[in-house]
Each structure stands twice: as structure tokens, then as C-alpha cells.
Amino acid sequence: MRIEIAQAAECLKQCEDVYILIHQSPDGDCVGAGFALMQLLHAMGKRAKVLCPEPIPARYGFLTAPDSGEFPAKYVIGVDVADLQLLGNLRSTYEGHVDLCIDHHISNTDYADRVCVDPDASAACQVLYEIIQALGIPLTDSMAACIYTGIATDTGCFKYENATARAHEIVAKLKREHALPYARINRNMFDVKSLGRLKMERAVMEIMEFYLDGRCTMICVTQDILRQMQVEEAELDGIAGLPLQVEGVEVGVTLKEKEPGFYKISMRSADRANVSRICGQLGGGGHVKAAGCALRGTLSQVKEILVRAVEQELALL
Ligand SMILES: [Mn+2]
């Protein structure tokens, strides 16, 4: 059942002994929303903990906080989790047992008993912020840092269209009312990369391929490259933006070799191309400017399929 902000606030008042679930490949939004919610529930005198299907990368460590230790769950909340599949190894335990979902994805699959989704919100952290406002509970500085990080992450540091007036207003309030380490968070989230990551970026830039008169750029991250550069899968986060940095590119394609003969593809549109339509035709989906799909075959077969699909879309522009 879909519910409004006020009803979600009511759920938080009623609940006890809460497990908060966040998604695999954890990012600043789900970690920020998860730990802001945990600290909110603590402030309300409740036990709560955050569960993530994968270890939370060290770069998000500043968002985490001590939980309430061991206790059995009486109430389960998914935050920023649009689909049960994103729960990875937690899925089997919690499928059918999620009481509340707080999210901002238009694609939310309504797997929870109660679902509070605002597709116009920039981030799950923004939806959570509105719920906290409805509760009238003051934020702490550390909750403010969590909320800020989520909004900054999902707006690409306020670069995307989803950095709405409301998102900016919330951030203005957070800056006004809290000691928010704004520049430090932005530097750590958006500028700092591990040496391995930088080497990997250099390597994929060197093998970047150009198709369709440079309107389509492709990079392919094979298992070999990952091994050579000694980078974790988690460090590939955001790499799909690289092919779009080249001037004149309309569609950027990133292939990741998951296993021999199996590729996960991320597609990004610089402006006008609808990559959701391209990926939809290939069995995937997503947003107009960011979408994905998975393909099997040899690398050259997969590339051929992708270039033809992109060509069809570009012909429509
Ligand atoms: Mn999000």
C-alpha cells in the first residue's frame, strides 16, 4: 500500500526493534538514509540497526554509527531499495517481511507492506528528511551529514536535473542549522579516488573505443583489467560516466565482464538519446539518461549488438 509522508512518520512512531535494510553496492544515499534513520530511531528511544548485503566501503565510514547490538527484529524497513533483488543475500530472509519502504525510485516494486515513495525526490535521504520534519524531531549534526551526503550523491553533487529547488532548500537548511563539513564531504565523495581506481580509469581510457563518428563511446572492463589494476568491483562505482566525458559523445557505453561470455552493460546519455529505450530493446531498462542491460556472447558479438542498437536510437534524433 502506498502511503504519504505523514503516515510514514506515524509508522516510525509505532514501530519497535527495527532492522533497516539497504541495497547491495551501497552508495552514499542508502548508507546515509540507513544511518540517519537508525539515529532517528535511537533518538526516539528505539532499538535499531542497519543491515547491508555487502560490507560498507570505507569511504562511507564517516556516515556509520554504533547500532543497538543483537536483538530480534519486530519491524523491517527498506531504504533506497527499489526492488527485492537489490537486497542480494538478505533477500531470502526478508522477502515478504518488509513492513515499510522509504524510497525515491519511480520503479519501486511495492514489495513492502507500506511504501512511501516520492519519485520527485532527489534521494531517499530527501524523503527521509521530510518524514523527520513531519515527526518534528530535531536532526543531530551527524544525521545532517548523512542526509546531505545522500542528496549530494544522487544529484551527482548537484549536477543532475533532480537537484530540484527543494533539494537545494533542504541543503540550505542543513548548512544553516548544523556544523556540516560540506567541502570535506564533497572532496571525499567526488574528488578523492584510490590510486588503483585512478590507474584503472587511465587503463580504460586507453582502450576507449569510438563508434558512429564518435557519437558512441565504449569502454570494456574485463576481469583481466580488474586483476591487473587490483581494484575491487566496488571501486567501479560511477565509472559509467567516463565515456560521456568525451566531447561530441551522445551515448556512453560501459561493459563489465561478470564472467566469461557474460557482460553487464551501463549506458548513459549525454543529452537527447533515450538509453532506457535502447536497453529496453536489449532486455534491460532504467531511466532516460541512465540505463542498463545484460548480454551474453563473445566480446565482439556483444559490442556489435550494442553499436547497432545505439545507431538505431541516434537515427531517431
Ligand atoms: Mn538513492
Side-chain angles (χ1 to χ4, degrees), residues 23 27 29-30 80 103-105 122-125 150 154:
H23 59 73
D27 60 17
D29 188 30
C30 77
D80 198 38
D103 190 22
H104 66 119
H105 294 96
S122 61
C125 275
D154 277 20

Side-chain angles (χ1 to χ4, degrees), residues 215-232:
R215 298 168 81 198
C216 173
T217 317
M218 208 178 279
I219 56 176
C220 185
V221 184
T222 59
Q223 292 293 332
D224 266 355
I225 286 185
L226 285 182
R227 263 192 301 274
Q228 280 168 33
M229 300 303 139
Q230 299 185 337
V231 282
E232 306 277 310

Side-chain angles (χ1 to χ4, degrees), residues 28-29 32-33 121-127 129 144-160 162-164 166-171 174 190:
D29 188 30
S122 61
C125 275
Q126 182 174 334
V127 183
Y129 178 87
C146 286
I147 301 284
Y148 173 74
T149 303
I151 294 175
T153 299
D154 277 20
T155 57
C157 205
F158 306 94
K159 276 190 297 191
Y160 308 145
N162 69 348
T164 56
R166 181 64 186 149
H168 282 283
E169 274 163 16
I170 292 170
V171 170
L174 296 176
F190 306 107

Side-chain angles (χ1 to χ4, degrees), residues 62 141-142 144-146 148-149 174-175 178-188:
F62 73 101
D141 288 351
S142 81
C146 286
Y148 173 74
T149 303
L174 296 176
K175 285 198 85 166
H178 298 275
L180 185 67
Y182 186 83
R184 192 196 311 153
I185 292 174
N186 290 341
R187 175 176 144 75
N188 286 329

